[in-house]
Amino acid sequence: MSHHQHSLLASGDHKLRFNVECSATGEDTDSLVDQATSEESFPWTSVILPFVFPALGGLLFGYDIGATSGATISLQSPELSGTTWFSFSAVQLGLVVSGSLYGALLGSLLVYPTADFLGRRRELIIAAGLYLLGGFITASAPGLGVLLVGRLLYGLGIGMAMHGAPLYIAETCPSQIRGTLISLKELFIVLGILLGYFVGSFQINAVGGWRYMFGLSAPVALLMGIGMWSLPSSPRWLLLRAVQGKAPLQECKEKAILALSKLRGRPLGDKFSEKEIERNLSSLKSSYADEESEGSFLEVFQGSSLKAFIIGGGLVLFQQITGQPSVLYYAGSILQTAGFSAAADATRVSVVIGVFKFLMTSVAVLKVDDLGRRPLLIGGVSGIVVSLLLLSAYYKFLGAFPIVAVAALLLYVGCYQISFGPISWLMVSEIFPLRTRGKGISLAVLTNFGSNALVTFAFSPLKEFLGAENLFLVFGAIAVVALLFAIFVVPETKGLSLEEIESKILK
């Protein structure tokens, strides 16, 4: 493998050296700078904010999932909705629940041509503004039409945040902890779901409680926007703009050095950051020397990029069409039919499920680099198959045992969180080649939200048409196909650098 391949995209995966001191001087500094190009030293405190503020975009996505579960119960209650338009048809309910997902789908379409121009930082600032506006409009909606507009705007924020956050984190964090941090973003999504379930449980008996459930996203969105405003642009994005001839080289290089210095908590323009930026710039120039400035749309569907899209796109597709949106968005409703008839009872059990989801995600994040991607994925999807068959059996002939429904939901949540949950997005962030990475991730996000919106919208009408027992049986059959996909198609990327994944797996 050539020198420039090893330095692409955060310069590979090397072990962390904590004994490199930024305060060294003279000849020691020069030797340490050379060493730092391959073994980067950083204070952990410098990693927190560049991770947390983008990850709030994931938390707000998760919050919408959790809050919607309780809000749909509140909105449809003659006593609790506080409105005269509480009586929804199955289609109207599907639009309310999936409205943010259609917005996310539109958002992921919009970022495809604009993300490289905007940059990761500005993309996330815009996402925070859309979250804020959408949450406020939804919470104050005087009728169904305005409510759906608010849901759509909030969803636009989701689409932009779920594209920009993994890119910003991957491009700004030290390479040694890239996989862990991208997996941790999933934990923030789950934390958001748990927060949404908790707020739903707290507000479920309040008249107009759904307004608080949706509206409490606004202050978090404001915090995200202020936080992203305070962070620098991605150094790698700045260098790419220069190499692609879209901005002055010297200006971009200087900005990238200052950005990296700030991100690592070093003095502005320090020699370590300057050396690292020079090295990355050299590798990018070498990579782009004989090629177009960036991969085209069609290139994502050719050669190694197509193989990457089949793997990454397949994972995010199966994580949705195995019923995940339905189980999460309709958890409260499912629990009501399972014997927890009171709205408060259903939302409290939803909180228990949310806590379990959070704990299982924590386990997955801690173990994904030890056990590898494939064992967790295959084991987790196997459990999803069992849980969906149990849900089908409950609705078919085990209705006298509501504990079966709760156990099936917990099994589904636990298995999803050690498989599809963290691993799908981790694989998406790892698997695409450098040239088509931005567009490849855009298409994966589009696939994710397109299938998510479709499944979420279709669940309520299909449940009426097929019956819950048959619908969960269909999800179970799809999960069997997903299991075969995980066994025969998905590779193991544990321990491989991004460059090794491209050269060994995709070629």
Side-chain angles (χ1 to χ4, degrees):
M1 191 179 297
S2 66
H3 170 76
H4 79 266
Q5 284 178 309
H6 279 288
S7 57
L8 292 177
L9 206 60
S11 305
D13 292 341
H14 299 283
K15 292 183 179 178
L16 181 61
R17 285 284 297 268
F18 290 96
N19 58 346
V20 178
E21 298 293 337
C22 293
S23 59
T25 58
E27 293 181 4
D28 289 339
T29 301
D30 293 333
S31 64
L32 290 176
V33 167
D34 291 336
Q35 189 180 36
T37 60
S38 61
E39 297 179 337
E40 185 179 6
S41 175
F42 62 92
W44 277 90
T45 51
S46 70
V47 176
I48 295 172
L49 295 183
F51 163 74
V52 167
F53 289 128
L56 286 179
L59 184 140
L60 286 165
F61 172 40
Y63 179 82
D64 183 67
I65 295 173
T68 301
S69 179
T72 51
I73 296 174
S74 175
L75 263 170
Q76 296 178 95
S77 169
E79 298 82 18
L80 300 176
S81 68
T83 71
T84 57
W85 40 278
F86 56 82
S87 182
F88 292 157
S89 67
V91 171
Q92 288 174 326
L93 178 61
L95 285 172
V96 171
V97 174
S98 63
S100 63
L101 296 174
Y102 283 107
L105 181 62
L106 179 59
S108 59
L109 280 171
L110 291 175
V111 299
Y112 189 88
T114 63
D116 285 341
F117 166 74
L118 290 173
R120 309 356 174 176
R121 174 177 171 268
R122 279 186 289 187
E123 187 179 349
L124 288 167
I125 291 172
I126 294 170
L130 289 166
Y131 274 141
L132 181 64
L133 184 62
F136 177 78
I137 290 175
T138 304
S140 57
L144 179 61
V146 176
L147 176 69
L148 293 177
V149 169
R151 299 287 289 148
L152 188 72
L153 287 172
Y154 193 96
L156 284 172
I158 293 175
M160 298 192 78
M162 294 304 289
H163 178 268
L167 278 173
Y168 188 89
I169 293 169
E171 292 180 0
T172 60
C173 74
S175 61
Q176 301 95 323
I177 56 172
R178 183 184 60 243
T180 299
L181 290 184
I182 292 173
S183 297
L184 275 174
K185 185 182 69 67
E186 172 68 19
L187 196 64
F188 266 63
I189 296 175
V190 175
L191 185 61
I193 294 172
L194 179 57
L195 182 62
Y197 280 157
F198 177 78
V199 172
S201 176
F202 185 72
Q203 291 290 332
I204 193 63
N205 288 320
V207 175
W210 60 272
R211 296 187 185 274
Y212 297 98
M213 297 177 203
F214 285 132
L216 281 174
S217 60
V220 181
L222 182 61
L223 177 63
M224 175 189 169
I226 294 172
M228 287 308 306
W229 191 273
S230 70
L231 290 174
S233 296
S234 159
R236 184 177 176 279
W237 173 76
L238 289 167
L239 295 179
L240 278 173
R241 296 289 291 171
V243 171
Q244 292 169 354
K246 297 178 180 178
L249 175 60
Q250 188 59 33
E251 180 185 337
C252 286
K253 191 171 81 169
E254 290 173 359
K255 286 182 178 179
I257 292 169
L258 292 175
L260 185 59
S261 299
K262 186 174 181 181
L263 287 164
R264 296 294 180 268
R266 301 169 184 157
L268 293 181
D270 69 292
K271 291 193 71 175
F272 289 97
S273 299
E274 184 178 350
K275 186 79 172 182
E276 185 66 18
I277 291 301
E278 288 284 1
R279 186 167 179 259
N280 285 337
L281 181 59
S282 175
S283 68
L284 286 171
K285 281 182 177 179
S286 186
S287 176
Y288 277 77
D290 301 317
E291 302 178 14
E292 298 175 14
S293 61
E294 56 187 320
S296 67
F297 173 83
L298 291 177
E299 192 173 335
V300 178
F301 301 100
Q302 299 171 4
S304 59
S305 295
L306 175 60
K307 186 173 182 180
F309 181 66
I310 289 172
I311 295 167
L315 283 172
V316 295
L317 175 66
F318 278 121
Q319 80 174 119
Q320 303 302 333
I321 62 174
T322 49
Q324 183 261 158
S326 306
V327 172
L328 294 179
Y329 279 97
Y330 290 93
S333 301
I334 290 171
L335 289 166
Q336 277 189 307
T337 63
F340 299 91
S341 55
D345 290 339
T347 52
R348 286 192 190 105
V349 178
S350 293
V351 170
V352 174
I353 291 174
V355 171
F356 184 67
K357 186 176 175 71
F358 181 81
L359 292 174
M360 292 304 292
T361 306
S362 302
V363 171
V365 169
L366 292 172
K367 292 297 181 183
V368 69
D369 285 326
D370 294 334
L371 297 177
R373 282 62 158 155
R374 275 174 52 83
L376 286 173
L377 191 62
I378 293 169
V381 177
S382 299
I384 287 174
V385 172
V386 174
S387 68
L388 289 168
L389 294 178
L390 276 176
L391 277 172
S392 176
Y394 166 76
Y395 281 105
K396 201 167 188 71
F397 50 80
L398 295 176
F401 306 97
I403 190 65
V404 173
V406 177
L409 284 173
L410 287 173
L411 179 61
Y412 186 100
V413 165
C415 290
Y416 176 86
Q417 290 312 134
I418 63 168
S419 57
F420 282 136
I423 291 172
S424 295
W425 289 108
L426 176 56
M427 293 286 289
V428 164
S429 71
E430 292 177 328
I431 202 72
F432 285 100
L434 172 66
R435 271 176 56 77
T436 56
R437 186 164 172 268
K439 287 181 168 58
I441 291 177
S442 295
L443 284 174
V445 172
L446 183 64
T447 302
N448 176 74
F449 286 119
S451 53
N452 192 330
L454 181 64
V455 172
T456 304
F457 172 76
F459 180 82
S460 190
L462 283 176
K463 187 179 173 185
E464 282 191 359
F465 179 69
L466 295 175
E469 67 277 12
N470 293 323
L471 180 55
F472 284 114
L473 195 60
V474 170
F475 284 144
I478 296 172
V480 172
V481 179
L483 179 59
L484 295 174
F485 177 82
I487 293 171
F488 294 108
V489 178
V490 178
E492 180 58 75
T493 58
K494 171 189 171 184
L496 297 178
S497 69
L498 295 171
E499 297 75 35
E500 288 171 334
I501 292 171
E502 184 172 349
S503 64
K504 295 180 179 179
I505 292 177
L506 298 180
K507 297 301 182 185

